[in-house]
């Protein structure tokens, strides 16, 4: 076997966010030989979250701290977490999976659990790319502190936008939430908190048509009213975009069933339409994407992999005898 090929794993877990770490923990407990591959630090979206207040057993816990606890817990049960970026997941003719990484290593296993999460959706307006990192951000926890005393805008109306707007008021003098409709889809408790925050003002029925700046960074947003079409400008020193996530499923070679948003459709065992390929967390089509649902998916996926492999081995044994 060439140096850059690794065999002998029962399952490869792609991504080490809450779903990946939970799958790794259960795989370890199930005595599976599992490899978890993560391109960044373990924790995924938790690392972009300041406080987690809806994970049972922890009334409030920092995102990074929960990540660390999950990674330690998985390692306690033998999880092997490798730092590398997965380039391709492909099913070969012999039924096994090849997982190719940026470091040019190919890992082989009969099952894969994809927990690769998502990437922030971009607005796709002029100025967004130009000012990325110079006033345009997709992570409040990472970049909020750079905007002390500034006026900011948050774009979006879901949980992320409303929650992160509240977070940003600890640094900003004022935060506008620019939303394209006249109501939020965010959960009621997050809405209540935002409405009670005197530093937050909601700009309803507006879409951003351009992010305008100068050599110092972002200077204002060009807005268009989604009802009247009227144009206006909103002076801000920075803009945080939270308009959803796109699932990181592009690494999967071949066709798989997915919904209109590209999220993978699974059965109740978290298996995708590609037998042996399981999906958990933000890559999966479902009603909501919480830390709790990610670990729930992952629990099911890891246990389902155990059963899938047992059936596979029975079949292999039967074929030999
Ligand atoms: P989301 O729930 O999909 O919300 C996206 C928001 O962006 C919607 O309000 C949408 O407007 C708006 N939007 C989409 N495309 C837009 C565009 N091109 N221009 C302007 N606005 C646009 O996404 P999310 O807030 O990132 O949340 C993703 C998932 O993570 C959800 O399941 C959420 O519950 C979960 N999450 C949970 C928490 C928490 O519980 N604390 C925190 C963060 C995220 P419309 O409403 O008009 O469609």
């Amino acid at each position: 076997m060439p140096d850059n090929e690794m065999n002998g794993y029962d399952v490869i877990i792609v991504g080490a966010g809450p779903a990946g770490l939970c799958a790794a923990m259960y795989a370890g407990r199930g005595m599976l030989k599992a490899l978890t591959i993560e391109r960044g630090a373990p924790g995924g979206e938790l690392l972009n979250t300041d406080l987690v207040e809806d994970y049972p057993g922890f009334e409030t816990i920092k995102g990074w701290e929960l990540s660390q606890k999950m990674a330690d817990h998985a390692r306690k049960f033998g999880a092997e977490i490798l730092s590398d970026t997965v380039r391709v997941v492909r099913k070969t003719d012999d039924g096994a999976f090849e997982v190719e990484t940026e470091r040019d290593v190919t890992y082989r296993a009969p099952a894969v659990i994809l927990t690769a999460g998502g990437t922030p959706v971009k607005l796709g307006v002029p100025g967004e790319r130009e000012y990325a990192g110079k006033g345009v951000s997709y992570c409040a926890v990472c970049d909020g502190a750079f905007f002390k005393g500034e006026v900011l805008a948050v774009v979006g109306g879901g949980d992320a936008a409303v929650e992160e707007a509240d977070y940003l008021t600890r640094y900003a003098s004022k935060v506008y939430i620019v939303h394209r409709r006249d109501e939020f889809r965010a959960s009621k408790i997050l809405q209540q908190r935002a409405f009670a925050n005197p530093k937050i003002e909601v700009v309803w029925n507006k879409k951003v048509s351009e992010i305008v700046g100068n050599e110092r960074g972002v200077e204002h947003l060009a807005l268009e009213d989604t009802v009247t079409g009227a144009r206006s400008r909103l002076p801000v020193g920075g803009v945080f975009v939270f308009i959803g996530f796109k699932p990181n499923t592009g690494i999967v070679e071949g066709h798989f069933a997915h919904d209109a948003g590209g999220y993978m459709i699974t059965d109740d065992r978290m298996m995708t339409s590609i037998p042996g390929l399981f999906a958990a967390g933000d890559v999966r089509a479902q009603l909501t994407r919480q830390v709790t649902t990610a670990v729930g998916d992952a629990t099911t996926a890891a246990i389902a992999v155990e059963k899938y492999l047992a059936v596979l081995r029975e079949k292999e044994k039967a074929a030999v005898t």
Side-chain angles (χ1 to χ4, degrees):
M1 184 172 59
D3 276 0
N4 62 345
E5 273 187 31
M6 300 289 284
N7 272 319
Y9 290 102
D10 292 315
V11 58
I12 293 166
I13 299 164
V14 181
L21 292 173
C22 179
M25 181 192 77
Y26 269 92
R29 288 172 65 85
M31 308 304 268
L32 297 179
K33 185 153 172 47
L35 174 69
T36 304
I37 307 176
E38 164 63 55
R39 63 181 165 190
E45 273 308 297
L46 275 180
L47 298 176
N48 296 332
T49 308
D50 179 36
L51 276 185
V52 177
E53 295 180 314
D54 49 10
Y55 195 74
F58 296 89
E59 245 172 68
T60 172
I61 183 165
K62 292 274 185 192
W64 66 264
E65 202 182 344
L66 186 56
S67 307
Q68 212 159 60
K69 281 183 185 294
M70 286 183 176
D72 290 347
H73 198 164
R75 285 194 179 102
K76 188 178 162 219
F77 286 103
E80 182 184 346
I81 305 172
L82 176 82
S83 179
D84 201 347
T85 301
V86 170
R87 202 163 45 199
V88 180
V89 174
R90 102 167 46 85
K91 188 159 183 171
T92 58
D93 291 341
D94 64 4
F97 287 88
E98 285 180 351
V99 176
E100 251 176 50
T101 70
E102 294 285 346
R103 292 194 188 162
D104 267 333
V105 183
T106 302
Y107 298 88
R108 283 174 62 85
V112 167
I113 306 178
L114 190 72
T115 63
T119 308
V121 175
K122 309 286 185 297
L123 279 167
V125 298
E128 183 177 26
R129 199 182 305 180
E130 197 180 340
Y131 294 105
K134 296 180 213 139
V136 176
S137 171
Y138 304 88
C139 176
V141 175
C142 322
D143 299 330
F146 298 121
F147 295 91
K148 279 203 183 91
E150 301 234 30
V151 176
L152 296 177
V154 161
V155 185
D159 282 337
V162 174
E163 187 168 48
E164 301 307 322
D166 192 56
Y167 172 81
L168 286 167
T169 61
R170 71 178 66 181
Y171 303 111
S173 58
K174 183 172 183 95
V175 176
Y176 291 103
I177 304 180
V178 179
H179 184 37
R180 62 184 179 184
R181 290 190 294 132
D182 62 357
E183 62 175 353
F184 288 138
R185 69 169 64 220
S187 67
K188 292 287 177 263
I189 187 161
L190 295 178
Q191 293 196 35
Q192 271 172 13
R193 201 173 294 166
F195 291 142
N197 186 330
K199 284 187 172 181
I200 292 181
E201 183 178 331
V202 185
V203 181
W204 300 112
N205 295 323
K206 298 282 187 293
K207 68 176 189 196
V208 177
S209 46
E210 187 175 350
I211 298 170
V212 184
N214 52 39
E215 61 292 343
R216 289 192 308 278
V218 170
E219 196 258 324
H220 74 264
L221 301 183
L223 301 180
E224 186 184 325
D225 194 294
T226 52
V227 180
T228 64
R231 291 174 186 278
S232 57
R233 56 160 62 191
L234 186 69
V236 290
V239 54
F240 285 75
V241 181
F242 297 109
I243 59 168
F245 268 82
K246 221 170 62 200
N248 290 331
T249 54
I251 52 175
V252 177
E253 205 176 272
H255 178 79
F256 54 85
H258 58 81
D259 70 4
Y263 292 94
M264 298 179 105
I265 293 172
T266 65
D267 63 14
D268 60 358
R269 296 183 165 215
M270 305 297 140
M271 190 151 85
T272 67
S273 59
I274 301 177
L277 177 63
F278 295 75
D282 287 359
V283 288
R284 192 171 89 80
Q286 56 185 315
L287 175 67
T288 186
R289 293 183 183 83
Q290 309 287 318
V291 188
T292 46
T293 51
V295 298
D297 288 0
T299 307
T300 306
I303 293 171
V305 164
E306 261 184 86
K307 299 194 183 305
Y308 174 81
L309 294 179
V311 172
L312 213 60
R313 278 164 195 157
E314 278 305 313
K315 277 189 194 156
E316 279 166 9
K317 236 194 298 177
V320 174
T321 52

